[in-house]
Amino acid sequence: MALIDAGRLLSDLRELAAIGRFGTGVDRIAFSAADIAARRWLVGKLRAAGLDAGMDQVGNVLGRYPGVSTAILVGSHTDTVPKGGWLDGALGVIYALEIARSAIEAGGQSAVGIDVVSFQDEEGTYLPFLGSRSFCGDLGDAEIAACRAPDGRPLSAAMADIAVEPPPLRLDTARQRCYLEAHIEQGPRLEAARRRIAAVTGIVGIRRFRIRARGQADHAGTTPMAMRKDAGVVLFALAAWVADEFPRCGGPDTVWNIGNIALRPGAANVVPGEGEMIVEFRDPNADLLDRLESLFLARVAAAASGPVAVTSEPLLRIEPTAMAPELQGAIAAASAAAGEPAMLVPSGAGHDAMVLGRYIPAAMMFIPSIGGRSHDVSENTSDADIVFGCEVLAQAVAQLR
Amino acid sequence: MALIDAGRLLSDLRELAAIGRFGTGVDRIAFSAADIAARRWLVGKLRAAGLDAGMDQVGNVLGRYPGVSTAILVGSHTDTVPKGGWLDGALGVIYALEIARSAIEAGGQSAVGIDVVSFQDEEGTYLPFLGSRSFCGDLGDAEIAACRAPDGRPLSAAMADIAVEPPPLRLDTARQRCYLEAHIEQGPRLEAARRRIAAVTGIVGIRRFRIRARGQADHAGTTPMAMRKDAGVVLFALAAWVADEFPRCGGPDTVWNIGNIALRPGAANVVPGEGEMIVEFRDPNADLLDRLESLFLARVAAAASGPVAVTSEPLLRIEPTAMAPELQGAIAAASAAAGEPAMLVPSGAGHDAMVLGRYIPAAMMFIPSIGGRSHDVSENTSDADIVFGCEVLAQAVAQLR
């Protein structure tokens, strides 16, 4: 028995994608005119469905299910990266809208409602997870005052446009007893395994370091090799060590990346006197992250014993967040009941569920991303997979009520 | 017996350094007002010394020794790199001026004179070795017409200011039977070995390649390691291979450098989809360069057999130039006679002698660079070493006349 209206789900997703449309994708960065328009559109849809809905002065939208004192909180975010896709965030919000709306229409006796949320700035135009952190009371006025977009615009200026809205909405742990977030996978695992649903086991922790090397710039023709202090050689050796050692020392879910490196002065015929690169690694297991970090920093220290000074600076440290087992179980059971055994995978990317999971039980469900693409206008998922995912989530919510 | 006037040598060097002074160094890039002023100053000094001197419309300055039909050509260049040092090029020109001037003053019976030259744009603001190539008839009008400075200014516009000067001066192989160029070492070898004079054995050849890698940009959290096409990993592995293999396969004079690398899009959390780096290596032996090149390109080809496309593009190929043994011998003998056995070293950098050496016997002499520094305002050599070098070169010239 269908718990949702597939046509209405797809229609709402496409209507939302028209707000800030950019080619085949969407450009709806947090606090842009398109972002605020999308949030007001959502408030209208929630009210039309019978929820008590509003936007607060940070841009969070919350729709409260009518006539209940406890609820399952379901949602995601409607802001996007610049020139992003139509599903990242939007999918989870419209799933929540459709599941709550269908439940209201269906009537019934449950004392547990479905509250719908769209968090502000998950993508971090100003501050990653700004909305979910505000909602959880984990964001102070000082942090808001200090925050600027990469283009220099202060967050306070961006917020001025919606300053007339009510004070920040807050998580009510007496009412909202758990959080469920559906999302596109943003990776290739489901597609590669020909699976349609993933129950997320946890959200990986991240350790990110800037490694700086400082030697001496010299003429690359006239300086004998033995007399050089080459910052590039040190960084290349460290990068090669990472490529050799992390597969041995990491776990099956460990991923790592060196996405940026710079050498100065940067001329073909000058020994690079300075350089820096950014190394990050992720894993759902905090102990494993600790072990990798100490191995890595020991290797950095060893590199620093040569003629080139090498230093490390921690840039980012996010601890892993386990997803609530009972909620994972509900998603896996709903998927299995629909004929598709759920894949169990960690999330390699951060999500609002990471923030919510510190306060209430939280879980995530993934549906496939075609070609694993996201954060790009090519981001897509088949209509059949979109509809199937919403049915599975609706079933999981029904089990939990 | 002193063959030169040490005080006048140092005074002229300092007078020249005042033209385009930049802090403790000099900024006198080719065709700048300071460069042309320095060249006109040199013409005046040469004429005052009794030489038949002039500048041509490419900026080369030539002083012909009076009353002879054959001559030893001695010189270097008076242009500098931006924010450069006071000795790079200038030293060899003022040595030539002082040696010719002192020889004229001394009188004597030799039928072999000393012609003095300052070549234009050795440093390549517009075109490396522009002046010596023009002098040797190795520069066509089409090449001049196509040439621009890095800031976009056409060489033809730079030359317009001195278009009234005579047509290009040319090498006269019936008259100028060999070429001698003194230069600061621009490296640390003499200083490290506590030696004062080097007789240059040859000028290294250079092979320079741009290596491009093209894989696929992906989310560095959500894309499993086994499914990545990481352009950075491929370049890092190639760089590490260079660091491991070149010491084994190169010779005692081989040097190599990776001075520049870029990864795109360049974000900490995105697998680099594209990257490029520039690899160069130098050696005085052409056969060894060939062997290193084929090993290197075989390794590039092996890298290209993986999921990331890897290509190489030759950016620069300069063949080694041997210095004339009889001229090396004259320099070594003069140095030994002055009590300082000459070090025998290749030049790791290009010089005008490389161009001249294709047409007439050519040789170079190095004096120490303090700290090996050059192409910087900190470039310097002690007065004692400057004077000693000029004495040695004057002695070598005397032997060859």
Side-chain angles (χ1 to χ4, degrees):
Chain A
M1 187 192 74
L3 294 174
I4 56 135
D5 181 332
R8 189 168 59 182
L9 166 72
L10 293 170
S11 161
D12 279 354
L13 270 171
R14 297 216 159 88
E15 205 174 314
L16 176 54
I19 306 174
R21 187 189 302 283
F22 179 83
T24 58
V26 173
D27 194 319
R28 206 165 56 216
I29 62 170
F31 294 104
S32 64
D35 173 56
I36 298 302
R39 291 174 184 279
R40 295 202 193 284
W41 171 89
L42 178 63
V43 169
K45 286 283 181 183
L46 290 166
R47 288 178 179 162
L51 290 93
D52 171 21
M55 180 169 78
D56 70 10
Q57 61 192 208
V58 304
N60 280 338
V61 170
L62 181 67
R64 293 165 188 268
Y65 199 89
V68 296
S69 57
T70 62
I72 298 167
L73 182 65
V74 187
S76 188
H77 60 95
T78 44
D79 64 289
T80 72
V81 295
K83 305 178 186 177
W86 71 299
L87 294 172
D88 182 348
L91 180 98
V93 173
I94 303 303
Y95 272 18
L97 164 65
E98 180 54 32
I99 291 169
R101 183 165 51 191
S102 294
I104 291 170
E105 289 169 356
Q109 304 303 316
S110 177
V112 181
I114 300 148
D115 286 355
V116 178
V117 70
S118 170
F119 293 117
Q120 178 59 296
D121 203 13
E122 192 266 353
E123 299 291 3
T125 295
Y126 291 87
L127 191 67
F129 314 114
L130 184 154
S132 48
R133 290 185 57 203
S134 167
F135 188 70
C136 292
D138 176 34
L139 185 66
D141 291 343
E143 197 171 355
I144 289 177
C147 184
R148 288 173 181 270
D151 68 2
R153 189 180 193 213
L155 174 56
S156 54
M159 288 174 61
D161 289 343
I162 53 170
V164 296
E165 300 294 334
L169 293 157
R170 298 289 190 210
L171 174 66
D172 175 357
T173 54
R175 174 185 172 91
Q176 288 131 0
R177 61 185 201 183
C178 64
Y179 175 66
L180 287 176
E181 180 172 0
H183 208 280
I184 54 168
E185 181 194 353
Q186 302 182 265
R189 289 191 186 201
L190 281 169
E191 187 179 71
R194 300 178 182 278
R195 303 285 276 275
R196 302 182 78 184
I197 298 290
V200 176
T201 55
I203 298 176
V204 297
I206 307 178
R207 309 280 166 99
R208 185 181 294 166
F209 296 89
R210 176 181 286 123
I211 307 300
R212 281 203 174 88
R214 181 181 290 262
Q216 181 171 294
D218 277 307
H219 193 298
T222 60
T223 312
M225 299 308 296
M227 300 177 75
R228 298 186 180 190
K229 298 177 182 175
D230 187 324
V233 164
V234 170
L235 294 181
F236 292 146
L238 185 60
W241 179 89
V242 167
D244 286 345
E245 287 301 314
F246 272 49
R248 280 200 272 274
C249 306
D253 291 321
T254 310
V255 293
W256 57 92
N257 191 49
I258 299 177
N260 188 281
I261 184 170
L263 300 179
R264 284 180 291 273
N269 62 347
V270 180
V271 177
E274 292 181 36
E276 60 183 62
M277 67 182 183
I278 298 179
V279 180
E280 68 156 48
F281 40 97
R282 307 182 185 210
D283 197 88
N285 181 317
D287 292 339
L288 183 49
L289 285 174
D290 286 342
R291 196 158 76 238
L292 289 170
E293 177 173 330
S294 59
L295 282 170
F296 176 68
L297 293 181
R299 179 61 180 73
V300 170
S305 66
V308 174
V310 188
T311 57
S312 65
E313 175 195 356
L315 293 181
L316 184 68
R317 184 186 182 96
I318 296 176
E319 294 304 323
T321 307
M323 297 287 93
E326 70 278 16
L327 301 181
Q328 286 181 52
I331 292 166
S335 186
E340 292 279 348
M343 204 170 172
L344 298 179
V345 300
S347 171
H351 292 286
D352 290 310
M354 193 171 70
V355 178
L356 273 289
R358 293 179 203 140
Y359 301 90
I360 53 174
M364 293 193 73
M365 186 191 90
F366 285 164
I367 65 169
S369 291
I370 294 173
R373 315 310 303 162
S374 73
H375 285 193
D376 185 85
V377 298
S378 66
E379 172 185 291
N380 207 2
T381 299
S382 73
D383 283 1
D385 280 347
I386 291 172
V387 170
F388 183 75
C390 194
E391 285 282 3
V392 168
L393 189 66
Q395 184 61 52
V397 167
Q399 285 171 347
L400 292 165
R401 290 176 77 193
Chain B
M1 185 192 74
L3 294 174
I4 56 136
D5 180 333
R8 189 169 58 180
L9 166 71
L10 294 170
S11 161
D12 278 354
L13 270 171
R14 297 216 160 89
E15 206 174 313
L16 176 54
I19 307 174
R21 188 190 302 283
F22 179 83
T24 58
V26 173
D27 194 319
R28 205 164 58 216
I29 61 169
F31 294 103
S32 64
D35 173 56
I36 299 301
R39 292 175 184 279
R40 295 202 193 283
W41 171 89
L42 178 62
V43 169
K45 287 282 182 183
L46 291 167
R47 287 179 180 161
L51 290 93
D52 171 21
M55 180 170 78
D56 69 10
Q57 63 192 207
V58 304
N60 280 337
V61 171
L62 181 67
R64 291 165 188 269
Y65 199 88
V68 296
S69 58
T70 61
I72 298 168
L73 183 65
V74 188
S76 189
H77 59 95
T78 43
D79 64 289
T80 73
V81 295
K83 306 178 185 176
W86 70 299
L87 294 172
D88 182 349
L91 180 98
V93 173
I94 303 303
Y95 272 16
L97 164 65
E98 180 54 31
I99 292 168
R101 184 165 51 190
S102 294
I104 291 169
E105 289 168 356
Q109 304 303 315
S110 177
V112 180
I114 300 147
D115 286 355
V116 178
V117 69
S118 170
F119 293 116
Q120 177 60 296
D121 203 13
E122 192 266 354
E123 299 291 5
T125 296
Y126 291 87
L127 192 67
F129 314 114
L130 183 154
S132 49
R133 289 184 59 202
S134 167
F135 188 69
C136 293
D138 176 33
L139 186 65
D141 292 342
E143 198 170 354
I144 291 177
C147 185
R148 288 172 180 271
D151 69 2
R153 190 181 192 212
L155 174 56
S156 54
M159 288 173 62
D161 289 344
I162 53 170
V164 296
E165 300 293 335
L169 293 157
R170 296 288 189 213
L171 173 67
D172 175 357
T173 55
R175 174 185 173 92
Q176 288 132 0
R177 59 185 201 182
C178 64
Y179 175 66
L180 288 175
E181 180 172 0
H183 207 280
I184 54 167
E185 181 195 353
Q186 302 182 266
R189 289 191 186 201
L190 281 169
E191 186 178 71
R194 300 175 182 279
R195 304 285 277 276
R196 301 182 79 184
I197 298 290
V200 176
T201 55
I203 298 176
V204 298
I206 306 178
R207 310 278 166 99
R208 186 181 294 165
F209 297 89
R210 176 181 286 125
I211 307 299
R212 282 204 174 89
R214 182 182 289 262
Q216 182 171 295
D218 276 308
H219 192 298
T222 61
T223 312
M225 298 308 295
M227 299 177 77
R228 298 186 181 191
K229 299 177 180 176
D230 187 323
V233 164
V234 170
L235 295 180
F236 293 145
L238 185 60
W241 179 89
V242 167
D244 287 344
E245 289 299 315
F246 273 49
R248 280 201 272 273
C249 306
D253 292 320
T254 310
V255 293
W256 57 93
N257 191 50
I258 299 177
N260 188 281
I261 184 170
L263 300 179
R264 284 181 291 272
N269 63 348
V270 180
V271 176
E274 291 181 37
E276 59 183 62
M277 67 181 183
I278 297 178
V279 180
E280 68 157 47
F281 41 97
R282 307 181 185 213
D283 197 88
N285 181 317
D287 291 340
L288 183 50
L289 285 174
D290 286 342
R291 196 158 75 238
L292 289 170
E293 176 173 331
S294 59
L295 282 169
F296 176 67
L297 293 182
R299 179 61 180 73
V300 170
S305 67
V308 174
V310 187
T311 57
S312 66
E313 175 195 356
L315 292 181
L316 184 68
R317 185 187 183 96
I318 295 176
E319 293 305 323
T321 307
M323 297 286 92
E326 70 279 14
L327 301 180
Q328 286 181 52
I331 292 166
S335 186
E340 291 280 348
M343 203 169 172
L344 298 179
V345 301
S347 170
H351 293 286
D352 290 310
M354 194 171 70
V355 178
L356 273 289
R358 293 178 203 140
Y359 299 92
I360 54 175
M364 294 193 73
M365 187 191 89
F366 284 163
I367 65 169
S369 292
I370 294 175
R373 315 308 305 160
S374 72
H375 284 192
D376 185 84
V377 298
S378 65
E379 174 185 288
N380 207 1
T381 299
S382 73
D383 283 0
D385 281 346
I386 290 173
V387 170
F388 183 75
C390 195
E391 285 283 4
V392 169
L393 189 67
Q395 185 60 52
V397 167
Q399 287 171 344
L400 291 166
R401 288 176 79 192

